Amino acid sequence: MRVADVDGVPEWAVDHLEGEGIEELYPPQAEAVEKGVADGENLVASVPTASGKTLVAQLAMLSAVERGGKALYIVPLRALAGEKASEFAAFEDHGVSVGVSTGNYESDGARLADEDVIVATSEKVDSLVRNGADWIDDLACVVADEVHLVDDDHRGPTLEVTLAKLRQRVPALQVVALSATVGNADEVADWLDAALVDSTWRPIELRTGVHYGQAVHYDDGTQAELATGRSDSQTAAIVDDTLQDGGSTLVFVNSRRNAEAAARRLADVTKTGITDAERERLQAVADEIRGVSDTETSDDLADAVEKGAAFHHAGLAREHRELVEDAFRDRAVKVVAATPTLAAGVNTPSRRVVVRDWQRYDGTAGGMQPLSVLEVHQMFGRAGRPGRDPYGEAVLLASSHDELEELFDRYVYADPEPVRSKLAAEPALRTHVLAAVATGFTATEDALLAFLGETLYATQTDDASRLEDVALDVLAYLDRNGFVEREAGALRATTTGHLVSQLYVDPMSAATLVDGLRDAARAAGQPATAERASADGEPGFQTASEMQADAPASDGDASADPSPLGLFHLVSRTPDMYELYLRSGDRERYTELAYEREDELLGRTPREEAPDFEDWLSALKTAKLLEDWASELDEDRIAERYDVGPGDIRGKVETAEWLLHAAERLAGELDADCATAVRAARKRVEYGVREELLDLAGVRDVGRKRARRLYEAGIESRADLRNAEKGVVLGAVRGREKTAERILANAGHPDPEMDGVDADADAVAAAEEGDAAGASGGDGQANLGDFS
Ligand code: ADP
């Protein structure tokens, strides 16, 4: 079937696709069209990676827009939203507008009302629905990418509930669910009342196998010699072999550290196989990478990229990841060592894929666990670039004959696992039940239970009462914390409950924040007006209030605002903040810190032998990281001190900002006086600066480092900057004219032009002093203790 033969798709789209080299539909795409995907029919497409699922989605969305509706594309990762939107950007020339929504806060709703196609994560869609986005009712088509992720413990339930909700709210909505090949796509299709395309077709031949000894053993029983030669590493030998053949390799490993170490070693292989032109391009990419952040990770990445190798993991900053992906797609970078995040959807095919580690550490299981077949097959699927490579090849590595056989049975010949719903878990239901009640979606217990009956969980379980039991427990918890009121089967959210649902925090996080804020208010001698939730003694849950019921009110001075550390600790104790692990020596270190800074910490301090003490200390460690960040310590010093990557630091900072925003709104709701202190703490995290720099750092493009340099040079506020002597500004930004002009313009300076301006020598010296303070972590940062 040709694209031009598909009814319902606008003519320009046919031309556009033909321009992209897409004329004939791939067989699974043709099957999808035959089953009505371009006529508004529901469809589940379970096909291998890189077999053209995106086009199926495009046909559905464009025909929906053509019929006068809107289309929503749900991506599994925030990182993929931008990538997908740019794939759809070409629509804009033909009057189909495309919007992306990824922000953390409850914003964006109105802006999206005018877009035809919207790309967002399921969390964002959920949040938009909670915040009353009316345009949801105009949706004609929703696409769920990587729908097999409903199986994910953490994020699956949100996707599941979001799809169920959208379907209930918009009865005629077309649902198109794209999935990797899974064991039970038919069940997913049943749940969504959808036709099914279940195919193993691929556009390019994929050979899979296991490397063992001096050969690759393929799934068809053949072997090909691939000697490890002098190198003792199978991976290095395979990368070298692929390189000789003009191809690139993607190596999957099980940890960030391993990805970094592998890239370093493999750089020695690739550096001999690059041309002069490639070397120049790699040098430019390496420079850009160094410009992204001033951390060791950034330097290590740049060092490897210069030689044609790279690593890729979730600890990298987004800009780092994008630079690596682009250079790999351009074939300048010859090998990428990656953790499985890259398999999850970034379109970076390569000639060969090596799954080096097929086990990874799992904290909940207390040891190494094998990867799922689904995960390994998705990694396999990244092999082979249609139109560029003659074939794709994916191999595992065995170090013994037994392992060779095990890997064949476990992965090469095995079918992927079935997808199972993870909805019947308390944390998932806590947030979704509150949202369903707060949005008026389910106004009675019966309606709530009926709605839950429409989920994948309900279609899969034999024990219907389990979901009901958990849901009722959760209702009791929400009632006890004052978020929901129940009366004769009717459900209503309280004002606080509405706010919590809109803020998109876990209700348990909200309860923790509310208690901490009340404690702060008490310490300041001000009773917070909202009533403390009453405990009704139901088993299974303990409210944050109950846990702290016997806590003596802290006896600080009457006007004391909570300190930033106290607030950072409070947000770090919520289930929405992923904590840092305690490493060896940390227990003593942070216990000592807890005693030193006791007065600042909100709520009850658990006894050292109590089971929740470790978690409480981990939260203190996270809080300390945030305090270091907000005290202008350099990123690489923080990375070293807490043994984390720059991406982790940004992740923590963003989460803290979002939770402090929630705390600020809750403080307003409780009439607690500390809202101003919470806001200041949020700003300090947002900008990563001490109090005195808040005004300056708020000027666009200034940032934490330049704000400090300007301050040391005597420019202390936005107003100072607006009226500043240009030579001083130029000196403070170390002679960078373009930067100086930009920030002066942003501050509203009447004449930012730097032509002929000389940098002020005193300002240069002062800026250097500011840098030294951030790098040493000393210099007036009284709270750093003996951490260095
Ligand atoms: P998936 O989402 O299934 O992993 P993609 O949709 O990203 O795969 O498709 C992989 C590649 O195949 C893309 O570069 C896309 O442009 C190309 N492609 C898709 N359908 C066709 C087609 N019918 N003919 C030629 N190329 C196609």
Side-chain angles (χ1 to χ4, degrees), residues 21-26 29 47-55 84 87 347 382 386:
I22 301 179
E23 292 189 13
E24 194 68 29
L25 291 183
Y26 288 160
Q29 294 167 339
V47 290
T49 314
S51 302
K53 289 191 284 285
T54 310
L55 181 65
K84 278 295 162 196
E87 271 183 55
N347 189 14
R382 291 284 155 215

Side-chain angles (χ1 to χ4, degrees), residues 251-257 259 312-314 337-343 379:
V251 180
F252 286 107
V253 298
N254 60 6
S255 73
R256 298 175 186 185
R257 223 176 264 278
H312 187 289
H313 58 58
T339 55
T341 38
L342 193 64
M379 295 176 195

Side-chain angles (χ1 to χ4, degrees), residues 434-765:
L434 177 60
V437 175
T439 50
F441 190 71
T442 56
T444 63
E445 277 187 25
D446 288 345
L448 176 69
L449 297 178
F451 167 63
L452 293 174
E454 295 299 314
T455 57
L456 175 63
Y457 184 89
T459 63
Q460 288 190 322
T461 185
D462 295 330
D463 178 11
S465 65
R466 160 131 176 84
L467 189 62
E468 239 175 82
D469 290 347
V470 184
L472 292 174
D473 278 352
V474 162
L475 271 182
Y477 172 86
L478 295 172
D479 187 351
R480 219 165 38 241
N481 279 282
F483 298 151
V484 161
E485 284 169 356
R486 292 184 291 179
E487 213 183 296
L491 299 173
R492 207 181 61 83
T494 62
T495 326
T496 316
H498 274 285
L499 180 60
V500 171
S501 166
Q502 281 167 14
L503 290 170
Y504 208 76
V505 292
D506 183 336
M508 190 181 265
S509 296
T512 305
L513 294 177
V514 165
D515 268 336
L517 294 168
R518 285 208 179 103
D519 191 50
R522 265 198 306 278
Q526 179 223 11
T529 48
E531 278 302 301
R532 172 177 272 249
S534 71
D536 60 8
E538 240 170 284
F541 289 104
Q542 193 183 26
T543 65
S545 309
E546 284 161 25
M547 291 195 305
Q548 298 175 359
D550 53 0
S554 330
D555 50 2
D557 66 274
S559 63
D561 269 332
S563 78
L565 183 79
L567 291 166
F568 297 157
H569 186 233
L570 180 62
V571 298
S572 301
R573 267 162 38 208
T574 67
D576 279 310
M577 176 73 88
Y578 284 93
E579 285 169 5
L580 292 170
Y581 292 112
L582 293 181
R583 296 181 192 274
S584 88
D586 278 353
R587 201 182 153 101
E588 295 70 34
R589 189 169 299 143
Y590 290 99
T591 305
E592 199 173 308
L593 184 73
Y595 282 116
E596 269 171 39
R597 312 279 298 267
E598 194 177 3
D599 289 348
E600 295 177 53
L601 305 179
L602 301 170
R604 179 186 63 93
T605 303
R607 288 185 310 275
E608 279 187 45
E609 53 293 346
D612 55 348
F613 185 67
E614 288 257 324
D615 277 347
W616 188 91
L617 266 194
S618 310
L620 183 58
K621 180 174 176 181
T622 310
K624 190 71 187 100
L625 179 153
L626 293 167
E627 190 188 54
D628 282 355
W629 166 257
S631 307
E632 298 167 42
L633 195 64
D634 281 350
E635 260 182 294
D636 60 347
R637 295 276 296 129
I638 298 178
E640 195 185 317
R641 187 175 280 181
Y642 299 91
D643 201 11
V644 293
D648 298 304
I649 300 174
R650 307 233 174 138
K652 294 267 179 291
V653 163
E654 273 181 26
T655 309
E657 238 184 283
W658 161 57
L659 288 167
L660 286 165
H661 165 79
E664 190 184 331
R665 298 282 307 272
L666 285 165
E669 171 72 23
L670 298 172
D671 272 339
D673 263 353
C674 55
T676 318
V678 178
R679 179 193 205 80
R682 173 167 70 77
K683 287 272 169 212
R684 285 191 50 194
V685 169
E686 182 181 347
Y687 300 138
V689 296
R690 281 183 254 178
E691 184 108 33
E692 69 267 22
L693 294 191
L694 283 179
D695 189 35
L696 258 187
V699 178
R700 199 147 57 85
D701 292 330
V702 168
R704 64 200 296 253
K705 294 205 134 187
R706 287 188 197 127
R708 175 54 63 194
R709 292 180 193 135
L710 289 164
Y711 191 90
E712 297 304 326
I715 298 169
E716 301 186 355
S717 66
R718 181 187 285 262
D720 285 356
L721 187 57
R722 197 179 308 130
N723 304 309
E725 222 175 283
K726 293 200 274 187
V728 175
V729 175
L730 187 59
V733 300
R734 302 188 295 187
R736 305 222 167 117
E737 290 187 8
K738 286 268 165 290
T739 306
E741 286 176 357
R742 210 166 57 236
I743 63 176
L744 279 184
N746 292 341
H749 194 283
D751 171 30
E753 180 74 45
M754 282 289 159
D755 253 1
V757 175
D758 287 325
D760 179 287
D762 289 345
V764 175

Side-chain angles (χ1 to χ4, degrees), residues 143-452:
V143 177
D145 197 358
E146 312 259 350
V147 78
H148 54 269
L149 292 173
V150 291
D151 196 279
D152 185 87
D153 285 322
H154 295 295
R155 309 189 42 218
T158 302
L159 177 58
E160 184 176 344
V161 167
T162 300
L163 284 177
K165 244 190 211 171
L166 291 174
R167 293 186 70 209
Q168 179 161 334
R169 179 154 161 192
V170 189
L173 183 66
Q174 175 188 22
V175 182
V176 176
L178 310 176
S179 169
T181 29
V182 295
N184 60 340
D186 53 334
E187 278 181 31
V188 179
D190 267 355
W191 166 47
L192 296 172
D193 302 311
L196 174 65
V197 173
D198 194 358
S199 166
T200 54
W201 184 89
R202 281 180 49 101
I204 181 167
E205 190 196 345
L206 173 66
R207 308 183 79 191
T208 56
V210 180
H211 184 267
Y212 167 62
Q214 308 295 325
V216 181
H217 303 248
Y218 291 108
D219 51 348
D220 60 5
T222 62
Q223 294 178 14
E225 188 184 345
L226 201 165
T228 46
R230 274 169 298 135
S231 146
D232 56 355
S233 151
Q234 288 167 286
T235 312
I238 295 171
V239 168
D240 195 22
D241 185 75
T242 319
L243 200 57
Q244 303 301 329
D245 205 21
S248 56
T249 312
L250 196 50
V251 180
F252 286 107
V253 298
N254 60 6
S255 73
R256 298 175 186 185
R257 223 176 264 278
N258 283 338
E260 292 174 15
R264 204 176 310 124
R265 279 198 304 271
L266 293 171
D268 288 335
V269 177
T270 54
K271 74 178 179 202
T272 54
I274 43 184
T275 64
D276 287 345
E278 283 170 342
R279 188 162 296 120
E280 219 166 277
R281 159 104 171 91
L282 289 169
Q283 188 60 54
V285 179
D287 289 344
E288 280 190 76
I289 287 171
R290 289 202 176 86
V292 172
S293 79
D294 61 350
T295 60
E296 219 175 288
T297 311
S298 190
D299 277 342
D300 289 350
L301 182 60
D303 289 347
V305 164
E306 274 170 4
K307 300 178 190 157
F311 53 88
H312 187 289
H313 58 58
L316 288 178
R318 196 191 66 239
E319 298 91 318
H320 281 144
R321 289 205 296 264
E322 283 170 1
L323 287 165
V324 168
E325 288 158 20
D326 286 347
F328 190 59
R329 272 194 290 261
D330 289 0
R331 320 181 100 178
V333 163
K334 306 295 182 191
V335 60
V336 171
T339 55
T341 38
L342 193 64
V346 186
N347 189 14
T348 48
S350 76
R351 170 81 57 84
R352 265 197 179 123
V353 163
V354 176
V355 180
R356 197 196 71 179
D357 301 332
W358 56 276
Q359 304 191 68
R360 82 172 139 229
Y361 184 77
D362 178 351
T364 49
M368 300 301 277
Q369 290 293 313
L371 300 178
S372 70
V373 180
L374 180 61
E375 283 173 291
V376 171
H377 284 194
Q378 278 205 287
M379 295 176 195
F380 282 0
R382 291 284 155 215
R385 317 194 215 201
R388 296 224 211 154
D389 291 333
Y391 60 90
E393 200 179 296
V395 295
L396 290 141
L397 308 179
S399 55
S400 69
H401 197 268
D402 283 351
E403 193 180 5
L404 172 72
E405 298 201 332
E406 181 183 355
L407 291 177
F408 263 98
D409 290 343
R410 191 185 269 281
Y411 296 116
V412 179
Y413 294 142
D415 292 323
E417 298 80 2
V419 166
R420 308 287 311 172
S421 164
K422 298 291 157 49
L423 187 61
E426 278 160 21
L429 279 183
R430 233 169 14 224
T431 171
H432 293 301
V433 166
L434 177 60
V437 175
T439 50
F441 190 71
T442 56
T444 63
E445 277 187 25
D446 288 345
L448 176 69
L449 297 178
F451 167 63
L452 293 174

